Amino acid sequence: MRQRISLPVACGLAAAGLATAITPAFAAEPVLTLTAPAALALPLHPASGSPKPVALDVRLDYPGTAEGLGTDVTFTVDLTKLAGVASVREATAGGTGQAAKCTPVASTLVCTERGVRPGSRPGVALEVTAAKDAKNKDSGEIRVTGAVSGATVRSAVTAVTVGGPDLVMGEMALKGDPKPGESQPLPLAFSNRGTQSANGVVLELEASRGMELAERYDNCEYRTTRTSTTAVCAVDGEFEAGASYELAGDSPLHLKATGHARAELLGYGIYPAGAPVKAEQAQTGADAKPAPGDQAAKDPAGKTPGGTGGRKLTAKKRAAALAPALRGPDLNPADNRREFVFGVVNTADLVAEPLVVKGKAGATVKTAVAVRNQGPAWVFEPRSADPAAVVEVQVPPGVKVLTAPAACRASGTAAAPRYLCSTGSSLRESEKAEFPFELRIDKAVPDARGAITVGRSGPGGELQRHPFDPAPANNLASFTVNPTGPAPSPSATATPKPSPSASASASPSAVPSAGATPAKSSSGGGPLASTGSTAGVVGLAGAALVAAGGALFLAFRRRAAGRA
């Protein structure tokens, strides 16, 4: 019999889960902020061998306007409430070659960082390990205070628990080479291999732009950026230790390859839902500053609630501040998320636009080199930061480049100058990329010829054709100065005046792309890290999500252990 688990609405993440104290009212001096994870879950001490430590990173936001403050910062780590639960030591101590910052003093660690400069984030890296006799669910607290001359520093509090949930996302067997327009189900399944139940989970899906999340649910929040769509769903219920779960039949998820899909990526993860933060850990009003890397700190443009039930968000008076939903600590965050790369059989036609410039000797002109993607696919490599396209501009004889865009670098020789211009990491279907140049015609040479070529950078820096481009002939276009015959469009005319008389608008066309080779899904690895911060998916830049409310349900059902 299916076990139903209802999902109240609590979508979005406050990614870093930062613990800070409330700002003193009317402080006479600037107030700086210590940041640390709101909670940590520690693996139990094993019967034999050494326990596995969990990283605890404490940082001070030391703004660029902090001139006049002291250059030495002291961090005092209070371990009074951690006795018998866990031990704490400096992570750099013991064989790293770095000078130790911390000294044990009674039940504290006193750590000093010297020579701090405005705009930096001084801090201390700690390791927390469960005590040998600590039992599952034992808990304690780490309080860190800071001191810097000329400023008040908010303290940070981290709750510590021995044991906890360990959610493990199962690997989905997906079709790696779907056709444009083809849809497939997402058989999401996960297990809790920890020592405690998870009271609610946060499901995250991020699909690159060519893959579409077909369903919308009211307890999910969606954000679309230039390269991806992210869904964050808050799922309520008790997810027991030792049990496995899968999506319920009445709340399916499907992924559809769009007409512009080619090389695509899906990231999917499952995380324990965080407990509401205490009043002393919450920032309100003007003092609420997300930490660097916090998803909520990014531009919320494009963020929309999901759902098809027609429910509207309403508000009523509340007695207490409502804390945002956070990711909770997980015993091994490395296995919470997986990725799958798709290779959709498709093409993208990149085209270089011909360019014509006219003018007398001594004249200047502003114009633009342009290329366009004629699709049908967009150009993007999910796991690469390389530009979607590189444009080589061979400058005609008698022409001097006065200014070139930052995306272009000079190459060639003085006698035969050329420029290599890079687009961004993506080029959408039907999108045009332009590179503005200011030129001076030093010598009026009739039919002076250069060239514009679009492609990608090869291993030795040479320009190559994209493997998915089926029409290489239109990768090359002419760049002509003072043509004697009919001039192709676009063109620009210069005058002898210091200011240019016209600017050209090029209309390049694009090259089609063939399907990429699908790759198997993978999950991360490495040592345990402090939890409470969200990581973006899809190399892809990460996505910014703000806690929101609404009402609907996404159901999970419990299934036999070991399937996820």
Side-chain angles (χ1 to χ4, degrees), residues 376-395:
W378 72 316
V379 180
F380 179 70
E381 298 299 333
R383 289 175 170 167
S384 173
D386 292 341
V390 175
V391 182
E392 182 184 73
V393 182
Q394 295 179 351
V395 182

Side-chain angles (χ1 to χ4, degrees), residues 501-543:
S501 62
S503 65
S505 176
S507 301
S509 44
V511 185
S513 76
T517 302
K520 293 183 179 180
S521 59
S522 61
S523 60
L528 290 174
S530 58
T531 58
S533 63
T534 55
V537 183
V538 185
L540 286 168

Side-chain angles (χ1 to χ4, degrees), residues 5-69:
I5 301 173
S6 64
L7 320 178
V9 177
C11 294
L13 300 216
L18 305 175
T20 57
I22 299 176
T23 310
F26 308 110
E29 55 189 9
V31 179
L32 306 183
T33 303
L34 276 177
T35 62
L40 290 180
L42 307 180
L44 274 72
H45 198 293
S48 61
S50 301
K52 193 168 186 178
V54 176
L56 172 61
D57 192 50
V58 181
R59 293 288 164 184
L60 175 65
D61 292 333
Y62 200 80
T65 56
E67 290 85 355
L69 302 184

